[in-house]
Amino acid sequence: MSNQRLTLQEMEQKYPDEWLFIIDCEISENTELLSGIVVVHSESRDDVYEASGHYEGGAAIHYTGKLPEGMRYLL
């Protein structure tokens, strides 16, 4: 795990088309993710969901690619 804080743009460049589990999130007033620390990244959504189940505290899951047709985020 890297403790490097990345902006959302940096995450999307570093991990294209991957699911990210992000901690220590910085959120805008409009609840948009601005930056955070990526602790798990994978092409598999299940890998990220599995990791998130072991974490206590505030966090975010983000997909850096285009979601498949019919798939939506649940907040």
Side-chain angles (χ1 to χ4, degrees), residues 21-68:
F21 181 60
I22 306 159
I23 63 169
D24 194 21
C25 301
E26 179 186 1
I27 308 293
S28 75
E29 290 180 10
N30 298 329
T31 67
E32 295 173 297
L33 178 64
L34 300 175
S35 69
I37 299 170
V38 177
V39 291
V40 176
H41 62 94
S42 176
E43 292 180 2
S44 169
R45 178 182 63 174
D46 293 340
D47 291 345
V48 172
Y49 284 0
E50 164 87 21
S52 70
H54 303 287
Y55 183 78
E56 294 182 18
I61 293 175
H62 178 73
Y63 183 64
T64 61
K66 182 177 178 187
L67 289 174

